[in-house]
Amino acid sequence: MKARIEKKLSKRLVELLPSVYRNAWRDQEQSELAYDQGSSVRHVLSVGGGLDYWGEGQDAYTVWEDWQLNWCWHRTFEYYPIGHRFEGYPNTEGFRPTTINLLKLAAQCEQTSKGYP
C-alpha cells in the first residue's frame, strides 16, 4: 500500500469512528510506511505515542495501522467456546480483512455503539 493511501484511510477511519479515534493527532513526521517507500507524505493521523508512567516512550501508530491490528475487538464477534484452543478470543472465521471490509466494519461498529441495529 502506498503511504498516501494510508493517509486517506486514516482520515476516513477518524470520520467513521469518532468515538474510538477522538484522540487522533497529526504526526509531523513521516509514517513508517512513507519512510520505507522514500515518500514525503506527512501529517498522517496517528494514535498512541507519548510517555507512560515511568517516562518511557510508547509506540505511535497511524490510525489505519491501529485499526488493522485491533479491528476484531471492536465488533461483537462470537467468542470461541470454552475448551477451544482460542478460548476467549473473537471467532473471526469467514471474515476477510480486506480494506473495503474493514471500512464497512468500522461503519457498522459506530452505528452499533450509537444504538442502531
Side-chain angles (χ1 to χ4, degrees):
M1 170 181 298
K2 293 193 178 235
R4 63 186 175 80
I5 302 298
E6 179 185 42
K7 181 177 180 177
K8 290 177 183 182
L9 289 171
S10 293
K11 182 179 179 183
R12 183 70 180 134
L13 277 173
V14 170
E15 293 168 357
L16 287 173
L17 290 167
S19 61
V20 175
Y21 293 114
R22 66 181 166 273
N23 294 328
W25 47 276
R26 291 199 187 280
D27 193 353
Q28 301 299 323
E29 302 296 322
Q30 294 173 309
S31 68
E32 188 175 327
L33 183 62
Y35 179 79
D36 291 343
Q37 294 176 356
S39 172
S40 62
V41 174
R42 297 181 190 277
H43 305 284
V44 179
L45 289 169
S46 301
V47 291
L51 301 175
D52 63 8
Y53 177 78
W54 294 276
E56 296 177 2
Q58 296 178 336
D59 291 335
Y61 298 95
T62 66
V63 171
W64 180 248
E65 284 177 320
D66 183 67
W67 183 247
Q68 285 183 310
L69 293 171
N70 299 304
W71 59 267
C72 61
W73 300 105
H74 292 280
R75 179 80 172 142
T76 54
F77 288 105
E78 295 292 324
Y79 289 95
Y80 284 104
I82 295 173
H84 192 275
R85 71 178 200 168
F86 296 125
E87 174 184 338
Y89 287 93
N91 181 355
T92 59
E93 293 176 12
F95 181 82
R96 293 183 53 217
T98 61
T99 301
I100 192 75
N101 286 344
L102 289 175
L103 289 174
K104 287 179 183 177
L105 181 66
Q108 290 172 357
C109 289
E110 188 64 22
Q111 288 178 352
T112 327
S113 69
K114 290 181 179 178
Y116 297 112

